[in-house]
Amino acid sequence: MSTAPEPLESLESLESFESLEPALSVRQVLMLERVLAGEPEVVAGAGHLDRAVRWVHVAEAADVGVMLSGGEMVLTTGVLLAGDDDKQAEYIRSLHRAEAAAVVLGLGRAFPAPPDVMRRAAERCGLPMVVLHRPFPFAELTEEVQARLVRRKFAAVSMSEAVRTALTGLITAGAPLQQLLDEIAHHSGCPVVVTNLAHRVLATAGERSAVDDVLRDWERIARQAWGHLPGRSGTGGGSVGDGWIRAELGGRGERWGQIMLCGYRGDTATGRLLADRAAESLVLHRMLGGTSAHTWEEQSAQSLLTDLVSGVVPARQLLPRARAAGLPVNRRTFVPLVVRDGDPAELDRVLRLLGLPGIVAELADGATAVLLSLARDQDAAVLTANFAARLSQTVVAAADPRTAWDDVPAGMREARHVADAVASGALDLPAVVRLKDVHLRGLIRLLRDDPHVQSFAERELDGLLCAAGDDLLAVLRTYLATGRNKSRTAQLHHVSRPALYRRLEAIQGRLGVDLDDFEQAASVHIALLAHDAQQS
């Protein structure tokens, strides 16, 4: 296990974490009961009321902009601005330059009505300007907003620390990636998606139906989120409206993925805190676990292909996951393949080398599944043969191509069945093996767990099913697999023909059969195929 001293130092996306403060929007401030008592009216910048209010500042000075740091709602009576149009316009421009959230003007002796100069300047700058028609103690508004902001910040920090504690506990307990994501989805209350830099989905968490809705439209979401997100400097994170919040995954100058909260219902700043905490934990999980983003891609493909092979999840429900994982699915020909004892990394490399779209994943029992997605006008047989030819001493089991996604699970099971039949010892097979190539061996493979078949195999081979009969059993297997070709069998076992004859006589004596009799030889052959299928 690798160590990761001071992991936060390497998380560029978290450098400004503590500066993220939950805020109220201008619109929310105007809806407060105390503010409504002042009869507020928005006279300019009505399209910018969702700006965040980080603080409330009472100021009468004409050069108030130099006192601000951005995000303030400035309250004023304008007493120092009355009668001077230039000062009024400059006052608004100064607030705009300081990135103030809004200006609230209390009408009274200085301004009995909204001043046109200030209103026009605010509209040009896009600065929300609000006038209060009834006398209003600014101190009450300041107290109310500051108290709310402090409470929101405290709640956000408490939530953030609770999330950090929960995720750190999972990491130290050796929890898998999926468990961390489930915890993040629990705290966020929305679907969570992890992608690589190409925006291909590596993992998801959250309510299944909500996740499927996100994945079903993932291409559009990805284009919108990464094409128009603000915040490309600094943390590298941001939001795309309606609670779509992301954070970068990476460290030490390298970025390798993103995590996105999809449709977070809380305020944006709190969502960004949560997304950054999640990103921090995922990076730490990767560093301490010695895993990589590439491993996450393998896990994603493995989960998808395993579900396709098992048939537990309907194919239609897996379609959004396949599309989000980068597999082309519209008007395609799907070719299910299974490779015995194949290296997933080599298979993936060959796919890339040939420019074949597909996903690769290791299944159980040393089998690796490959699902090719080809254009309808491409020759599936030729491309599959080209793929197999690039592999070193490996037999590729293939199902017939499928043009409907709903038929892919059956195709994956067919390819798996062919691969299992090949593994039981067939000789002289083509580089690409199909169902028609495994013949009787394939049928026996399907029936291997039937108790009648098991009993039949034990009864037929009883004389050789012992330690002393292992060598003879191997000779019998080769003899029958070669079509009872004595010369070929002797050659494969590196013995002379007389020596082979003696072994064949011993086999017939132990089994009580005549291998020159076709029916008896066929019975023994079937029993041996069943025995081998059961053993494997």
Side-chain angles (χ1 to χ4, degrees):
M1 176 179 294
S2 61
T3 59
E6 302 297 335
L8 286 180
E9 293 180 0
S10 66
L11 302 180
E12 297 177 10
S13 63
L14 302 179
E15 287 175 351
S16 60
F17 169 77
E18 297 302 336
S19 68
L20 294 175
E21 299 181 3
L24 293 168
S25 68
V26 175
R27 190 188 309 277
Q28 288 173 319
V29 172
L30 296 181
M31 294 303 294
L32 296 178
E33 186 175 350
R34 290 187 181 183
V35 180
L36 291 174
E39 297 183 8
E41 178 189 359
V42 180
V43 296
H48 303 276
L49 296 182
D50 291 321
R51 282 184 174 179
V53 177
R54 189 181 57 81
W55 207 244
V56 176
H57 190 70
V58 180
E60 300 291 352
D63 58 349
V64 63
V66 300
M67 309 175 191
L68 307 179
S69 58
E72 294 90 352
M73 174 178 276
V74 178
L75 311 181
T76 184
T77 62
V79 65
L80 300 181
L81 305 174
D84 192 327
D85 290 353
D86 291 338
K87 281 188 176 181
Q88 293 173 28
E90 177 57 28
Y91 183 83
I92 295 297
R93 289 193 293 267
S94 176
L95 294 179
H96 172 64
R97 288 193 297 270
E99 297 183 349
V103 59
V104 177
L105 175 65
L107 301 180
R109 285 182 300 173
F111 289 104
D116 286 339
V117 172
M118 294 180 68
R119 182 183 58 77
R120 288 195 299 270
E123 192 65 49
R124 284 195 299 270
C125 293
L127 176 70
M129 179 176 173
V130 182
V131 297
L132 300 175
H133 289 277
R134 295 178 62 85
F136 186 89
F138 284 166
E140 291 186 10
L141 174 57
T142 302
E143 178 184 8
E144 173 81 7
V145 174
Q146 315 302 45
R148 286 177 178 266
L149 289 174
V150 169
R151 286 198 299 270
R152 289 162 73 91
K153 181 175 182 180
F154 178 77
V157 171
S158 297
M159 179 276 296
S160 174
E161 289 307 309
V163 171
R164 168 184 272 175
T165 300
L167 295 178
T168 301
L170 291 175
I171 292 171
T172 55
L177 170 66
Q178 188 60 52
Q179 194 169 346
L180 264 68
L181 294 179
D182 290 341
E183 185 73 15
I184 295 166
H186 169 72
H187 284 281
S188 66
C190 67
V192 175
V193 176
V194 176
T195 75
N196 62 13
L197 292 179
H199 316 316
R200 302 307 186 193
V201 175
L202 305 181
T204 62
E207 184 182 349
R208 189 72 260 167
S209 60
V211 171
D212 286 345
D213 286 342
V214 170
L215 296 184
R216 192 171 293 113
D217 202 22
W218 182 251
E219 290 184 8
R220 182 191 63 80
I221 290 171
R223 284 196 306 270
Q224 198 172 8
W226 278 273
H228 301 92
L229 271 177
R232 289 193 171 276
S233 60
T235 65
S239 62
V240 70
D242 297 326
W244 297 82
I245 302 170
R246 74 176 175 96
E248 300 282 357
L249 300 176
R252 297 171 183 169
E254 177 191 9
R255 301 192 188 281
W256 40 266
Q258 300 97 4
I259 181 170
M260 176 175 279
L261 308 184
C262 305
Y264 179 70
R265 297 296 184 184
D267 67 85
T268 299
T270 303
R272 292 184 65 189
L273 287 175
L274 178 56
D276 281 345
R277 281 300 190 221
E280 171 190 347
S281 298
L282 295 186
V283 173
L284 189 60
H285 178 271
R286 175 188 174 186
M287 295 168 68
L288 295 180
T291 58
S292 65
H294 182 63
T295 301
W296 288 2
E297 291 181 0
E298 292 173 351
Q299 292 174 356
S300 174
Q302 184 178 48
S303 173
L304 174 60
L305 290 183
T306 299
D307 286 344
L308 278 171
V309 172
S310 68
V312 173
V313 182
R316 185 56 51 181
Q317 293 183 20
L318 297 174
L319 186 59
R321 286 171 55 188
R323 182 183 289 111
L327 186 74
V329 295
N330 295 330
R331 297 187 59 78
R332 307 292 289 186
T333 296
F334 302 100
V335 184
L337 308 174
V338 172
V339 181
R340 274 287 174 186
D341 302 319
D343 179 7
E346 180 191 5
L347 301 181
D348 188 62
R349 180 185 60 80
V350 171
L351 283 184
R352 296 177 187 275
L353 181 65
L354 296 175
L356 296 178
I359 49 179
V360 179
E362 187 174 3
L363 305 178
D365 303 327
T368 300
V370 181
L371 180 60
L372 301 181
S373 175
L374 308 177
R376 292 283 176 88
D377 59 353
Q378 291 180 293
D379 192 321
V382 171
L383 292 176
T384 303
N386 290 343
F387 173 73
R390 294 275 184 168
L391 304 179
S392 55
Q393 298 179 343
T394 302
V395 174
V396 176
D400 291 334
R402 264 63 176 177
T403 56
W405 174 258
D406 287 344
D407 295 334
V408 170
M412 294 301 306
R413 289 191 291 273
E414 178 183 316
R416 181 65 184 272
H417 165 61
V418 173
D420 287 345
V422 171
S424 63
L427 300 175
D428 300 324
L429 290 171
V432 179
V433 185
R434 305 184 187 278
L435 192 60
K436 64 182 179 61
D437 298 315
V438 296
H439 306 295
L440 180 62
R441 189 181 302 274
L443 175 62
I444 295 300
R445 188 78 186 185
L446 287 175
L447 301 175
R448 63 178 176 173
D449 294 326
D450 188 297
H452 297 293
V453 174
Q454 294 174 353
S455 176
F456 168 76
E458 292 175 2
R459 183 172 63 252
E460 288 290 301
L461 302 175
D462 182 56
L464 297 180
L465 297 180
C466 60
D470 284 348
D471 183 56
L472 295 179
L473 200 63
V475 170
L476 175 62
R477 183 179 294 108
T478 305
Y479 179 62
L480 296 174
T482 58
R484 294 183 293 174
N485 186 319
K486 295 183 176 64
S487 297
R488 179 65 173 153
T489 302
Q491 181 184 18
L492 290 173
H493 283 271
H494 307 290
V495 298
S496 64
R497 286 177 65 92
L500 176 65
Y501 295 156
R502 289 193 294 271
R503 295 184 186 186
L504 291 176
E505 289 174 359
I507 291 171
Q508 293 180 106
R510 288 197 179 198
L511 298 181
V513 298
D514 178 6
L515 293 178
D516 289 329
D517 182 86
F518 175 79
E519 184 174 339
Q520 294 182 54
S523 181
V524 172
H525 194 184
I526 293 171
L528 186 57
L529 291 175
H531 169 75
D532 288 346
Q534 292 159 14
Q535 295 302 306
S536 62

